[in-house]
Amino acid sequence: MPETELARFTPAARIKEGGFIRRPNGSWQEITSLVQVLSPAKFAMVTLADGHKVNIPHTHEVIYRTAKQQAAATPKAGA
């Protein structure tokens, strides 16, 4: 299955803890902590599995996968 079918552009307001976002270097990182801030500015405060913290404005989209999509995209051992 092509990688483009296993991810989609998703508004920052719709991402969920436990999902995965694509980093600029092409790696996928799990979202370990997520806080949606709604006032005064709307943005997502995200902590990734590697400890990196980032704020994403709700006006932005990220390349996002659910945990199920990530599992389907991960090559199986011995395949």
Side-chain angles (χ1 to χ4, degrees):
M1 190 178 305
E3 185 168 317
T4 55
E5 294 180 17
L6 295 173
R8 63 178 37 194
F9 283 97
T10 304
R14 297 189 60 215
I15 61 177
K16 305 276 188 229
E17 192 170 311
F20 292 77
I21 61 173
R22 188 171 179 136
R23 304 271 309 263
N25 66 3
S27 68
W28 289 91
Q29 288 287 312
E30 183 178 8
I31 300 170
T32 57
S33 175
L34 173 70
V35 176
Q36 295 285 0
V37 177
L38 301 177
S39 179
K42 295 180 180 181
F43 62 95
M45 293 173 30
V46 177
T47 303
L48 301 174
D50 64 358
H52 187 79
K53 296 181 180 184
V54 64
N55 295 330
I56 307 168
H58 280 185
T59 57
H60 288 58
E61 292 184 331
V62 295
I63 302 174
Y64 176 78
R65 285 181 178 164
T66 63
K68 184 177 178 181
Q69 290 170 323
Q70 181 69 13
T74 303
K76 307 294 184 251

